Amino acid sequence: MSKTSFIVNQDGLAIFTFLRPERRNAIDYDVMEDLRTALIQVKASSRIKMLMITGEGEKAFCSGGDLEVFHKLKTEKEAYEMLNKMGMILYDLLTLPKPTVALLNGAAVGGGCEVAIACDLRLASEYSKMGFVQGNLGITTGWGGASILMEKLLPQDALFMLYTGKLFTAEEARQIGYVQKVFSSHHLQEQAINHCGEILKKPYSVLTAYKEAMIRKWTSQNLFAQIQEEIKQCAKLWETDEHHKRVDSFMNRKS
């Protein structure tokens, strides 16, 4: 059974969906590869003007990395290989030369928040919640999310999200600029697509020109190197007893 879906509508909107509601749309290696492939297709196709990423169901957009898979990684080296793989995919998402939007149909937790912040815009269901909870597990963001967050939010708001590791409501997230628009959960995707209609009406050349201007800014600031340092730091913390104990405790609490 496929863990993701990828479709393109007649207006040039590509929609990539996490299809693992039983795992709160968590990311494993298969999902990583599907997202990497989708980004290649979006970049190569002149028919596609915009990419939307969302999740199946109403409970979760994405809960980040699948702990049942990634908790088997114990050493710094093992962790770095996984973190760097996904970090580079998110950098490709961040620098995709087309508009991107995350539609938060439910909770965006940990790495799910990193996926969302790598998109240009974030639209959310009124019942969605979001938080960079990695600190509660004894690690930092490891896919580049903190570096990207600090580019997109005011410093004090970015640090508050990271320091506290709390879950924000959709409205709280909108107030600090993490979310741009909150919708009712009724016909959520239809509302989001309609909202994106104003963007899709613009000429392809205009959209790519604006996005490429932003990419030039990030390139001049060497954001890629900052993300690499973030990945290395997380890999070091991943190996610690503190991290493994906290994940064990979390998984035992769930079972």
Side-chain angles (χ1 to χ4, degrees):
M1 180 179 291
S2 178
K3 298 177 181 179
T4 67
S5 70
F6 180 76
I7 62 170
V8 182
N9 74 13
Q10 60 186 11
D11 295 321
L13 174 65
I15 303 175
F16 179 92
T17 308
F18 301 115
L19 296 179
R20 306 186 73 205
E22 76 287 352
R23 299 290 304 146
R24 297 187 66 80
N25 292 324
I27 293 173
D28 62 9
Y29 292 109
D30 294 331
V31 175
M32 283 187 190
E33 189 59 29
D34 287 353
L35 181 55
R36 188 189 70 82
T37 300
L39 292 174
I40 292 171
Q41 290 181 249
V42 172
K43 187 174 182 178
S45 174
S46 59
R47 186 168 74 92
I48 298 174
K49 297 178 69 175
M50 185 177 192
L51 171 65
M52 177 182 287
I53 298 178
T54 191
E56 177 78 4
E58 298 182 351
K59 292 184 177 180
F61 164 72
C62 175
S63 59
D66 191 329
L67 290 181
E68 288 193 1
V69 176
F70 296 147
H71 191 39
K72 296 172 184 176
L73 307 176
K74 300 299 182 183
T75 68
E76 179 181 341
K77 181 178 183 296
E78 289 172 339
Y80 177 80
E81 289 175 355
M82 179 276 289
L83 296 169
N84 189 59
K85 179 180 176 68
M86 188 60 186
M88 294 306 94
I89 291 170
L90 286 196
Y91 186 77
D92 288 343
L93 171 59
L94 177 73
T95 58
L96 188 73
K98 300 181 182 185
T100 56
V101 58
L103 175 56
L104 308 182
N105 54 295
V109 179
C113 266
E114 298 191 65
V115 173
I117 198 63
C119 294
D120 300 331
L121 306 170
R122 281 150 300 285
L123 312 176
S125 159
E126 61 187 325
Y127 298 119
S128 62
K129 292 187 177 182
M130 52 222 73
F132 291 87
V133 300
Q134 292 90 333
N136 301 330
L137 296 177
I139 56 172
T140 59
T141 51
W143 293 343
S147 300
I148 300 169
L149 185 72
M150 291 175 188
E151 281 292 310
K152 296 190 174 183
L153 266 62
L154 290 173
Q156 63 269 27
D157 292 328
L159 288 172
F160 185 69
M161 288 192 83
L162 296 166
Y163 283 158
T164 62
K166 65 168 279 191
L167 289 179
F168 290 70
T169 66
E171 182 54 31
E172 287 173 334
R174 189 194 64 79
Q175 290 174 8
I176 62 173
Y178 183 86
V179 164
Q180 281 65 60
K181 182 76 173 178
V182 178
F183 298 103
S184 73
S185 59
H186 190 60
H187 298 305
L188 176 66
Q189 191 167 118
E190 182 180 329
Q191 292 181 80
I193 291 173
N194 288 338
H195 184 74
C196 291
E198 285 301 311
I199 298 174
L200 290 166
K201 289 176 184 176
K202 303 296 185 293
Y204 180 82
S205 57
V206 170
L207 298 176
T208 56
Y210 282 136
K211 184 61 179 285
E212 285 168 357
M214 183 62 79
I215 294 169
R216 286 194 298 272
K217 173 180 180 288
W218 291 328
T219 301
S220 70
Q221 294 174 340
N222 208 0
L223 181 57
F224 181 82
Q226 296 174 48
I227 288 172
Q228 279 289 310
E229 289 302 314
E230 180 180 334
I231 292 169
K232 291 175 185 176
Q233 180 62 54
C234 183
K236 290 178 182 177
L237 293 172
W238 192 287
E239 190 177 62
T240 63
D241 290 340
E242 179 71 18
H243 169 59
H244 295 305
K245 286 177 182 176
R246 288 188 177 226
V247 175
D248 284 337
S249 176
F250 176 77
M251 294 182 75
N252 289 336
R253 203 162 58 237
K254 285 178 64 181
S255 60

